[in-house]
PDB file of all heavy atoms in Angstrom:
ATOM      1  N   ALA A   1     -12.379   4.791   7.384  1.00 97.00           N
ATOM      2  CA  ALA A   1     -11.471   4.567   8.539  1.00 97.00           C
ATOM      3  C   ALA A   1     -10.914   3.059   8.380  1.00 97.00           C
ATOM      4  O   ALA A   1     -11.593   2.166   7.893  1.00 97.00           O
ATOM      5  CB  ALA A   1     -12.387   4.601   9.799  1.00 97.00           C
ATOM      6  N   LEU A   2      -9.608   2.967   8.944  1.00 97.00           N
ATOM      7  CA  LEU A   2      -9.024   1.738   9.032  1.00 97.00           C
ATOM      8  C   LEU A   2      -8.684   1.486  10.442  1.00 97.00           C
ATOM      9  O   LEU A   2      -7.912   2.161  11.095  1.00 97.00           O
ATOM     10  CB  LEU A   2      -7.751   1.732   8.007  1.00 97.00           C
ATOM     11  CG  LEU A   2      -7.018   0.497   7.771  1.00 97.00           C
ATOM     12  CD1 LEU A   2      -8.030  -0.361   6.991  1.00 97.00           C
ATOM     13  CD2 LEU A   2      -5.859   0.872   6.864  1.00 97.00           C
ATOM     14  N   ILE A   3      -9.461   0.469  11.146  1.00 97.00           N
ATOM     15  CA  ILE A   3      -9.233   0.212  12.497  1.00 97.00           C
ATOM     16  C   ILE A   3      -8.761  -1.241  12.680  1.00 97.00           C
ATOM     17  O   ILE A   3      -8.743  -1.992  11.887  1.00 97.00           O
ATOM     18  CB  ILE A   3     -10.564   0.471  13.245  1.00 97.00           C
ATOM     19  CG1 ILE A   3     -11.626  -0.464  12.808  1.00 97.00           C
ATOM     20  CG2 ILE A   3     -11.042   1.920  13.137  1.00 97.00           C
ATOM     21  CD1 ILE A   3     -12.951  -0.353  13.755  1.00 97.00           C
ATOM     22  N   GLY A   4      -8.550  -1.493  14.096  1.00 95.00           N
ATOM     23  CA  GLY A   4      -8.130  -2.811  14.342  1.00 95.00           C
ATOM     24  C   GLY A   4      -7.095  -2.762  15.408  1.00 95.00           C
ATOM     25  O   GLY A   4      -6.472  -1.746  15.749  1.00 95.00           O
ATOM     26  N   PRO A   5      -6.722  -3.956  16.010  1.00 94.00           N
ATOM     27  CA  PRO A   5      -5.770  -3.882  17.220  1.00 94.00           C
ATOM     28  C   PRO A   5      -4.334  -3.619  16.766  1.00 94.00           C
ATOM     29  O   PRO A   5      -4.132  -3.681  15.559  1.00 94.00           O
ATOM     30  CB  PRO A   5      -5.826  -5.351  17.772  1.00 94.00           C
ATOM     31  CG  PRO A   5      -6.488  -6.197  16.566  1.00 94.00           C
ATOM     32  CD  PRO A   5      -7.365  -5.219  15.866  1.00 94.00           C
ATOM     33  N   ASN A   6      -3.603  -3.302  17.741  1.00 91.00           N
ATOM     34  CA  ASN A   6      -2.136  -3.105  17.288  1.00 91.00           C
ATOM     35  C   ASN A   6      -1.492  -4.343  16.645  1.00 91.00           C
ATOM     36  O   ASN A   6      -1.721  -5.465  17.044  1.00 91.00           O
ATOM     37  CB  ASN A   6      -1.329  -2.796  18.631  1.00 91.00           C
ATOM     38  CG  ASN A   6      -1.514  -1.486  19.317  1.00 91.00           C
ATOM     39  OD1 ASN A   6      -1.983  -0.599  18.526  1.00 91.00           O
ATOM     40  ND2 ASN A   6      -1.485  -1.327  20.587  1.00 91.00           N
ATOM     41  N   GLY A   7      -0.785  -4.069  15.658  1.00 92.00           N
ATOM     42  CA  GLY A   7      -0.057  -5.130  14.895  1.00 92.00           C
ATOM     43  C   GLY A   7      -0.933  -5.711  13.860  1.00 92.00           C
ATOM     44  O   GLY A   7      -0.550  -6.714  13.223  1.00 92.00           O
ATOM     45  N   ALA A   8      -2.228  -5.174  13.581  1.00 96.00           N
ATOM     46  CA  ALA A   8      -3.137  -5.873  12.571  1.00 96.00           C
ATOM     47  C   ALA A   8      -2.640  -5.441  11.146  1.00 96.00           C
ATOM     48  O   ALA A   8      -3.084  -6.141  10.199  1.00 96.00           O
ATOM     49  CB  ALA A   8      -4.392  -5.266  12.792  1.00 96.00           C
ATOM     50  N   GLY A   9      -1.707  -4.443  10.968  1.00 96.00           N
ATOM     51  CA  GLY A   9      -1.153  -4.203   9.723  1.00 96.00           C
ATOM     52  C   GLY A   9      -1.722  -2.814   9.034  1.00 96.00           C
ATOM     53  O   GLY A   9      -1.610  -2.578   7.807  1.00 96.00           O
ATOM     54  N   LYS A  10      -2.442  -1.970   9.861  1.00 97.00           N
ATOM     55  CA  LYS A  10      -3.079  -0.769   9.379  1.00 97.00           C
ATOM     56  C   LYS A  10      -2.090   0.133   8.759  1.00 97.00           C
ATOM     57  O   LYS A  10      -2.339   0.690   7.620  1.00 97.00           O
ATOM     58  CB  LYS A  10      -3.829  -0.215  10.528  1.00 97.00           C
ATOM     59  CG  LYS A  10      -4.822  -0.995  11.172  1.00 97.00           C
ATOM     60  CD  LYS A  10      -5.532  -0.269  12.363  1.00 97.00           C
ATOM     61  CE  LYS A  10      -4.654   0.212  13.480  1.00 97.00           C
ATOM     62  NZ  LYS A  10      -4.059  -1.089  14.216  1.00 97.00           N
ATOM     63  N   SER A  11      -0.995   0.491   9.466  1.00 96.00           N
ATOM     64  CA  SER A  11      -0.002   1.414   8.997  1.00 96.00           C
ATOM     65  C   SER A  11       0.693   0.842   7.748  1.00 96.00           C
ATOM     66  O   SER A  11       1.030   1.672   6.867  1.00 96.00           O
ATOM     67  CB  SER A  11       1.036   1.779  10.048  1.00 96.00           C
ATOM     68  OG  SER A  11       0.378   2.508  11.113  1.00 96.00           O
ATOM     69  N   THR A  12       0.830  -0.416   7.695  1.00 97.00           N
ATOM     70  CA  THR A  12       1.424  -1.129   6.626  1.00 97.00           C
ATOM     71  C   THR A  12       0.657  -0.770   5.261  1.00 97.00           C
ATOM     72  O   THR A  12       1.211  -0.754   4.198  1.00 97.00           O
ATOM     73  CB  THR A  12       1.580  -2.568   6.903  1.00 97.00           C
ATOM     74  OG1 THR A  12       2.367  -2.803   8.070  1.00 97.00           O
ATOM     75  CG2 THR A  12       2.373  -3.355   5.698  1.00 97.00           C
ATOM     76  N   VAL A  13      -0.681  -0.819   5.430  1.00 98.00           N
ATOM     77  CA  VAL A  13      -1.556  -0.491   4.199  1.00 98.00           C
ATOM     78  C   VAL A  13      -1.241   0.872   3.691  1.00 98.00           C
ATOM     79  O   VAL A  13      -0.804   1.100   2.474  1.00 98.00           O
ATOM     80  CB  VAL A  13      -2.983  -0.602   4.690  1.00 98.00           C
ATOM     81  CG1 VAL A  13      -3.904  -0.179   3.497  1.00 98.00           C
ATOM     82  CG2 VAL A  13      -3.356  -2.018   5.117  1.00 98.00           C
ATOM     83  N   LEU A  14      -1.081   1.870   4.522  1.00 97.00           N
ATOM     84  CA  LEU A  14      -0.929   3.281   4.157  1.00 97.00           C
ATOM     85  C   LEU A  14       0.614   3.356   3.381  1.00 97.00           C
ATOM     86  O   LEU A  14       0.823   4.029   2.448  1.00 97.00           O
ATOM     87  CB  LEU A  14      -0.908   4.257   5.193  1.00 97.00           C
ATOM     88  CG  LEU A  14      -2.219   4.209   6.057  1.00 97.00           C
ATOM     89  CD1 LEU A  14      -2.264   5.483   7.062  1.00 97.00           C
ATOM     90  CD2 LEU A  14      -3.381   4.274   5.051  1.00 97.00           C
ATOM     91  N   LYS A  15       1.617   2.704   4.037  1.00 96.00           N
ATOM     92  CA  LYS A  15       2.930   2.707   3.531  1.00 96.00           C
ATOM     93  C   LYS A  15       2.997   2.060   2.220  1.00 96.00           C
ATOM     94  O   LYS A  15       3.748   2.412   1.194  1.00 96.00           O
ATOM     95  CB  LYS A  15       3.853   1.999   4.562  1.00 96.00           C
ATOM     96  CG  LYS A  15       4.052   2.853   5.855  1.00 96.00           C
ATOM     97  CD  LYS A  15       4.916   2.050   6.835  1.00 96.00           C
ATOM     98  CE  LYS A  15       5.162   2.761   8.161  1.00 96.00           C
ATOM     99  NZ  LYS A  15       5.932   2.054   9.107  1.00 96.00           N
ATOM    100  N   ALA A  16       2.277   0.939   1.929  1.00 97.00           N
ATOM    101  CA  ALA A  16       2.218   0.321   0.669  1.00 97.00           C
ATOM    102  C   ALA A  16       1.567   1.141  -0.337  1.00 97.00           C
ATOM    103  O   ALA A  16       2.064   1.237  -1.478  1.00 97.00           O
ATOM    104  CB  ALA A  16       1.521  -0.985   0.734  1.00 97.00           C
ATOM    105  N   VAL A  17       0.593   1.809   0.077  1.00 97.00           N
ATOM    106  CA  VAL A  17      -0.155   2.619  -1.086  1.00 97.00           C
ATOM    107  C   VAL A  17       0.729   3.934  -1.244  1.00 97.00           C
ATOM    108  O   VAL A  17       0.729   4.113  -2.546  1.00 97.00           O
ATOM    109  CB  VAL A  17      -1.510   3.227  -0.394  1.00 97.00           C
ATOM    110  CG1 VAL A  17      -2.131   4.342  -1.244  1.00 97.00           C
ATOM    111  CG2 VAL A  17      -2.413   2.097  -0.273  1.00 97.00           C
ATOM    112  N   CYS A  18       1.418   4.507  -0.431  1.00 95.00           N
ATOM    113  CA  CYS A  18       2.121   5.670  -0.734  1.00 95.00           C
ATOM    114  C   CYS A  18       3.487   5.270  -1.455  1.00 95.00           C
ATOM    115  O   CYS A  18       4.278   6.184  -1.896  1.00 95.00           O
ATOM    116  CB  CYS A  18       2.408   6.585   0.398  1.00 95.00           C
ATOM    117  SG  CYS A  18       3.622   6.071   1.645  1.00 95.00           S
ATOM    118  N   GLY A  19       3.947   3.947  -1.256  1.00 95.00           N
ATOM    119  CA  GLY A  19       5.197   3.574  -1.943  1.00 95.00           C
ATOM    120  C   GLY A  19       6.370   3.545  -1.101  1.00 95.00           C
ATOM    121  O   GLY A  19       7.442   3.268  -1.622  1.00 95.00           O
ATOM    122  N   LEU A  20       6.187   3.621   0.252  1.00 95.00           N
ATOM    123  CA  LEU A  20       7.252   3.400   1.180  1.00 95.00           C
ATOM    124  C   LEU A  20       7.853   1.951   1.292  1.00 95.00           C
ATOM    125  O   LEU A  20       8.880   1.668   1.625  1.00 95.00           O
ATOM    126  CB  LEU A  20       6.880   3.915   2.513  1.00 95.00           C
ATOM    127  CG  LEU A  20       6.920   5.431   2.699  1.00 95.00           C
ATOM    128  CD1 LEU A  20       6.198   5.840   4.091  1.00 95.00           C
ATOM    129  CD2 LEU A  20       8.203   6.060   2.524  1.00 95.00           C
ATOM    130  N   ILE A  21       6.774   1.045   1.099  1.00 96.00           N
ATOM    131  CA  ILE A  21       7.139  -0.364   0.971  1.00 96.00           C
ATOM    132  C   ILE A  21       6.515  -0.901  -0.252  1.00 96.00           C
ATOM    133  O   ILE A  21       5.510  -0.476  -0.870  1.00 96.00           O
ATOM    134  CB  ILE A  21       6.784  -1.187   2.202  1.00 96.00           C
ATOM    135  CG1 ILE A  21       5.208  -1.281   2.396  1.00 96.00           C
ATOM    136  CG2 ILE A  21       7.248  -0.805   3.536  1.00 96.00           C
ATOM    137  CD1 ILE A  21       4.736  -2.283   3.428  1.00 96.00           C
ATOM    138  N   ARG A  22       7.147  -2.127  -0.844  1.00 94.00           N
ATOM    139  CA  ARG A  22       6.615  -2.700  -2.033  1.00 94.00           C
ATOM    140  C   ARG A  22       5.619  -3.653  -1.813  1.00 94.00           C
ATOM    141  O   ARG A  22       5.653  -4.329  -0.743  1.00 94.00           O
ATOM    142  CB  ARG A  22       7.800  -3.356  -2.785  1.00 94.00           C
ATOM    143  CG  ARG A  22       8.794  -2.282  -3.250  1.00 94.00           C
ATOM    144  CD  ARG A  22       8.155  -1.314  -4.378  1.00 94.00           C
ATOM    145  NE  ARG A  22       9.135  -0.370  -4.905  1.00 94.00           N
ATOM    146  CZ  ARG A  22       9.926  -0.597  -5.891  1.00 94.00           C
ATOM    147  NH1 ARG A  22       9.843  -1.774  -6.691  1.00 94.00           N
ATOM    148  NH2 ARG A  22      10.667   0.395  -6.290  1.00 94.00           N
ATOM    149  N   ALA A  23       4.631  -3.867  -2.685  1.00 95.00           N
ATOM    150  CA  ALA A  23       3.702  -4.952  -2.602  1.00 95.00           C
ATOM    151  C   ALA A  23       4.373  -6.161  -3.098  1.00 95.00           C
ATOM    152  O   ALA A  23       5.105  -6.308  -4.096  1.00 95.00           O
ATOM    153  CB  ALA A  23       2.509  -4.643  -3.559  1.00 95.00           C
ATOM    154  N   TRP A  24       4.197  -7.270  -2.295  1.00 97.00           N
ATOM    155  CA  TRP A  24       4.748  -8.596  -2.636  1.00 97.00           C
ATOM    156  C   TRP A  24       3.938  -9.164  -3.773  1.00 97.00           C
ATOM    157  O   TRP A  24       4.479  -9.783  -4.663  1.00 97.00           O
ATOM    158  CB  TRP A  24       4.720  -9.528  -1.520  1.00 97.00           C
ATOM    159  CG  TRP A  24       5.752  -9.043  -0.470  1.00 97.00           C
ATOM    160  CD1 TRP A  24       6.605  -7.943  -0.416  1.00 97.00           C
ATOM    161  CD2 TRP A  24       6.094  -9.649   0.869  1.00 97.00           C
ATOM    162  NE1 TRP A  24       7.245  -7.807   0.723  1.00 97.00           N
ATOM    163  CE2 TRP A  24       6.976  -8.838   1.459  1.00 97.00           C
ATOM    164  CE3 TRP A  24       5.549 -10.819   1.435  1.00 97.00           C
ATOM    165  CZ2 TRP A  24       7.580  -9.235   2.783  1.00 97.00           C
ATOM    166  CZ3 TRP A  24       6.092 -11.090   2.696  1.00 97.00           C
ATOM    167  CH2 TRP A  24       7.117 -10.281   3.427  1.00 97.00           C
ATOM    168  N   ASN A  25       2.576  -9.154  -3.459  1.00 97.00           N
ATOM    169  CA  ASN A  25       1.667  -9.782  -4.530  1.00 97.00           C
ATOM    170  C   ASN A  25       0.341  -8.834  -4.502  1.00 97.00           C
ATOM    171  O   ASN A  25       0.185  -8.111  -3.624  1.00 97.00           O
ATOM    172  CB  ASN A  25       1.209 -11.143  -4.143  1.00 97.00           C
ATOM    173  CG  ASN A  25       2.330 -12.251  -4.331  1.00 97.00           C
ATOM    174  OD1 ASN A  25       2.922 -12.386  -5.331  1.00 97.00           O
ATOM    175  ND2 ASN A  25       2.822 -12.819  -3.224  1.00 97.00           N
ATOM    176  N   GLY A  26      -0.433  -8.980  -5.467  1.00 97.00           N
ATOM    177  CA  GLY A  26      -1.628  -8.251  -5.641  1.00 97.00           C
ATOM    178  C   GLY A  26      -1.432  -6.929  -6.304  1.00 97.00           C
ATOM    179  O   GLY A  26      -0.359  -6.655  -6.935  1.00 97.00           O
ATOM    180  N   GLN A  27      -2.592  -6.150  -6.337  1.00 97.00           N
ATOM    181  CA  GLN A  27      -2.508  -4.903  -7.051  1.00 97.00           C
ATOM    182  C   GLN A  27      -2.923  -3.631  -6.238  1.00 97.00           C
ATOM    183  O   GLN A  27      -3.906  -3.819  -5.495  1.00 97.00           O
ATOM    184  CB  GLN A  27      -3.377  -4.995  -8.373  1.00 97.00           C
ATOM    185  CG  GLN A  27      -2.964  -5.968  -9.314  1.00 97.00           C
ATOM    186  CD  GLN A  27      -3.692  -5.957 -10.641  1.00 97.00           C
ATOM    187  OE1 GLN A  27      -4.825  -5.445 -10.522  1.00 97.00           O
ATOM    188  NE2 GLN A  27      -2.994  -6.345 -11.757  1.00 97.00           N
ATOM    189  N   ILE A  28      -2.294  -2.580  -6.482  1.00 98.00           N
ATOM    190  CA  ILE A  28      -2.672  -1.314  -5.960  1.00 98.00           C
ATOM    191  C   ILE A  28      -3.058  -0.358  -7.099  1.00 98.00           C
ATOM    192  O   ILE A  28      -2.008  -0.130  -7.924  1.00 98.00           O
ATOM    193  CB  ILE A  28      -1.721  -0.624  -4.903  1.00 98.00           C
ATOM    194  CG1 ILE A  28      -1.337  -1.534  -3.804  1.00 98.00           C
ATOM    195  CG2 ILE A  28      -2.181   0.690  -4.388  1.00 98.00           C
ATOM    196  CD1 ILE A  28      -0.111  -1.191  -3.027  1.00 98.00           C
ATOM    197  N   THR A  29      -4.136   0.109  -7.285  1.00 97.00           N
ATOM    198  CA  THR A  29      -4.665   0.910  -8.379  1.00 97.00           C
ATOM    199  C   THR A  29      -5.225   2.275  -7.903  1.00 97.00           C
ATOM    200  O   THR A  29      -5.972   2.358  -6.930  1.00 97.00           O
ATOM    201  CB  THR A  29      -5.678   0.206  -9.179  1.00 97.00           C
ATOM    202  OG1 THR A  29      -5.194  -1.022  -9.609  1.00 97.00           O
ATOM    203  CG2 THR A  29      -5.892   0.964 -10.482  1.00 97.00           C
ATOM    204  N   PHE A  30      -4.681   3.300  -8.477  1.00 97.00           N
ATOM    205  CA  PHE A  30      -5.159   4.695  -8.198  1.00 97.00           C
ATOM    206  C   PHE A  30      -5.604   5.426  -9.347  1.00 97.00           C
ATOM    207  O   PHE A  30      -4.708   5.453 -10.381  1.00 97.00           O
ATOM    208  CB  PHE A  30      -4.033   5.524  -7.423  1.00 97.00           C
ATOM    209  CG  PHE A  30      -4.504   6.805  -6.973  1.00 97.00           C
ATOM    210  CD1 PHE A  30      -5.422   6.989  -5.847  1.00 97.00           C
ATOM    211  CD2 PHE A  30      -4.144   7.957  -7.593  1.00 97.00           C
ATOM    212  CE1 PHE A  30      -5.840   8.112  -5.524  1.00 97.00           C
ATOM    213  CE2 PHE A  30      -4.624   9.231  -7.118  1.00 97.00           C
ATOM    214  CZ  PHE A  30      -5.443   9.283  -6.037  1.00 97.00           C
ATOM    215  N   ASN A  31      -6.979   5.700  -9.523  1.00 94.00           N
ATOM    216  CA  ASN A  31      -7.457   6.271 -10.684  1.00 94.00           C
ATOM    217  C   ASN A  31      -7.288   5.465 -11.922  1.00 94.00           C
ATOM    218  O   ASN A  31      -6.988   5.945 -12.975  1.00 94.00           O
ATOM    219  CB  ASN A  31      -7.087   7.792 -10.865  1.00 94.00           C
ATOM    220  CG  ASN A  31      -7.679   8.618  -9.819  1.00 94.00           C
ATOM    221  OD1 ASN A  31      -8.756   8.428  -9.398  1.00 94.00           O
ATOM    222  ND2 ASN A  31      -6.896   9.747  -9.506  1.00 94.00           N
ATOM    223  N   GLY A  32      -7.399   4.144 -11.799  1.00 93.00           N
ATOM    224  CA  GLY A  32      -7.238   3.234 -12.915  1.00 93.00           C
ATOM    225  C   GLY A  32      -5.769   2.834 -13.315  1.00 93.00           C
ATOM    226  O   GLY A  32      -5.514   2.188 -14.153  1.00 93.00           O
ATOM    227  N   GLU A  33      -4.698   3.456 -12.551  1.00 95.00           N
ATOM    228  CA  GLU A  33      -3.377   3.244 -12.892  1.00 95.00           C
ATOM    229  C   GLU A  33      -2.708   2.473 -11.802  1.00 95.00           C
ATOM    230  O   GLU A  33      -2.779   2.659 -10.633  1.00 95.00           O
ATOM    231  CB  GLU A  33      -2.743   4.603 -12.930  1.00 95.00           C
ATOM    232  CG  GLU A  33      -1.266   4.596 -13.464  1.00 95.00           C
ATOM    233  CD  GLU A  33      -0.703   5.991 -13.606  1.00 95.00           C
ATOM    234  OE1 GLU A  33      -1.341   6.865 -13.288  1.00 95.00           O
ATOM    235  OE2 GLU A  33       0.470   6.048 -14.086  1.00 95.00           O
ATOM    236  N   LEU A  34      -2.050   1.331 -12.325  1.00 96.00           N
ATOM    237  CA  LEU A  34      -1.338   0.511 -11.404  1.00 96.00           C
ATOM    238  C   LEU A  34      -0.142   1.212 -10.835  1.00 96.00           C
ATOM    239  O   LEU A  34       0.628   1.798 -11.498  1.00 96.00           O
ATOM    240  CB  LEU A  34      -0.823  -0.803 -12.186  1.00 96.00           C
ATOM    241  CG  LEU A  34      -0.257  -1.881 -11.353  1.00 96.00           C
ATOM    242  CD1 LEU A  34      -1.379  -2.510 -10.412  1.00 96.00           C
ATOM    243  CD2 LEU A  34       0.281  -2.965 -12.129  1.00 96.00           C
ATOM    244  N   THR A  35       0.054   1.102  -9.400  1.00 96.00           N
ATOM    245  CA  THR A  35       1.077   1.912  -8.753  1.00 96.00           C
ATOM    246  C   THR A  35       1.966   1.045  -7.926  1.00 96.00           C
ATOM    247  O   THR A  35       2.600   1.599  -7.052  1.00 96.00           O
ATOM    248  CB  THR A  35       0.379   2.967  -7.877  1.00 96.00           C
ATOM    249  OG1 THR A  35      -0.271   2.231  -6.788  1.00 96.00           O
ATOM    250  CG2 THR A  35      -0.589   3.812  -8.558  1.00 96.00           C
ATOM    251  N   ASN A  36       1.849  -0.281  -8.109  1.00 94.00           N
ATOM    252  CA  ASN A  36       2.782  -1.233  -7.208  1.00 94.00           C
ATOM    253  C   ASN A  36       4.065  -0.771  -7.146  1.00 94.00           C
ATOM    254  O   ASN A  36       4.784  -0.934  -5.928  1.00 94.00           O
ATOM    255  CB  ASN A  36       2.630  -2.633  -7.813  1.00 94.00           C
ATOM    256  CG  ASN A  36       1.300  -3.230  -7.547  1.00 94.00           C
ATOM    257  OD1 ASN A  36       0.265  -2.580  -7.720  1.00 94.00           O
ATOM    258  ND2 ASN A  36       1.314  -4.541  -7.077  1.00 94.00           N
ATOM    259  N   ASP A  37       4.838  -0.276  -8.230  1.00 88.00           N
ATOM    260  CA  ASP A  37       6.149  -0.142  -8.213  1.00 88.00           C
ATOM    261  C   ASP A  37       6.498   1.481  -8.181  1.00 88.00           C
ATOM    262  O   ASP A  37       7.652   1.779  -8.446  1.00 88.00           O
ATOM    263  CB  ASP A  37       6.847  -0.683  -9.448  1.00 88.00           C
ATOM    264  CG  ASP A  37       6.763  -2.269  -9.426  1.00 88.00           C
ATOM    265  OD1 ASP A  37       6.888  -2.901  -8.307  1.00 88.00           O
ATOM    266  OD2 ASP A  37       6.449  -2.878 -10.504  1.00 88.00           O
ATOM    267  N   SER A  38       5.599   2.236  -7.740  1.00 93.00           N
ATOM    268  CA  SER A  38       5.797   3.608  -7.781  1.00 93.00           C
ATOM    269  C   SER A  38       6.607   4.158  -6.439  1.00 93.00           C
ATOM    270  O   SER A  38       6.471   3.507  -5.420  1.00 93.00           O
ATOM    271  CB  SER A  38       4.417   4.376  -7.836  1.00 93.00           C
ATOM    272  OG  SER A  38       3.786   4.195  -9.093  1.00 93.00           O
ATOM    273  N   THR A  39       7.320   5.244  -6.620  1.00 94.00           N
ATOM    274  CA  THR A  39       7.915   5.809  -5.591  1.00 94.00           C
ATOM    275  C   THR A  39       6.996   6.751  -4.785  1.00 94.00           C
ATOM    276  O   THR A  39       5.981   7.282  -5.358  1.00 94.00           O
ATOM    277  CB  THR A  39       9.268   6.680  -5.977  1.00 94.00           C
ATOM    278  OG1 THR A  39       8.761   7.642  -6.835  1.00 94.00           O
ATOM    279  CG2 THR A  39      10.172   5.718  -6.598  1.00 94.00           C
ATOM    280  N   PRO A  40       7.355   7.125  -3.523  1.00 93.00           N
ATOM    281  CA  PRO A  40       6.394   8.143  -2.930  1.00 93.00           C
ATOM    282  C   PRO A  40       6.313   9.460  -3.600  1.00 93.00           C
ATOM    283  O   PRO A  40       5.342  10.011  -3.724  1.00 93.00           O
ATOM    284  CB  PRO A  40       7.134   8.207  -1.529  1.00 93.00           C
ATOM    285  CG  PRO A  40       7.782   7.042  -1.207  1.00 93.00           C
ATOM    286  CD  PRO A  40       8.315   6.517  -2.613  1.00 93.00           C
TER     287      PRO A  40
END
């Protein structure tokens, strides 16, 4: 679960993971594969 008050960034996390927005810094890895620049 990802919880928190409105505006905390919860939906932004999901959008970054699925590729709807780009990561500015840091890494997103899925099954050992870097996905920062992947499309949905």
Side-chain angles (χ1 to χ4, degrees):
L2 197 55
I3 64 171
N6 287 331
K10 305 181 297 296
S11 296
T12 303
V13 173
L14 303 191
K15 290 175 183 177
V17 171
C18 79
L20 286 172
I21 64 171
R22 294 294 180 92
W24 294 359
N25 292 297
Q27 292 188 335
I28 304 172
T29 307
F30 186 70
N31 287 331
E33 186 177 3
L34 189 67
T35 66
N36 285 41
D37 297 321
S38 293
T39 64

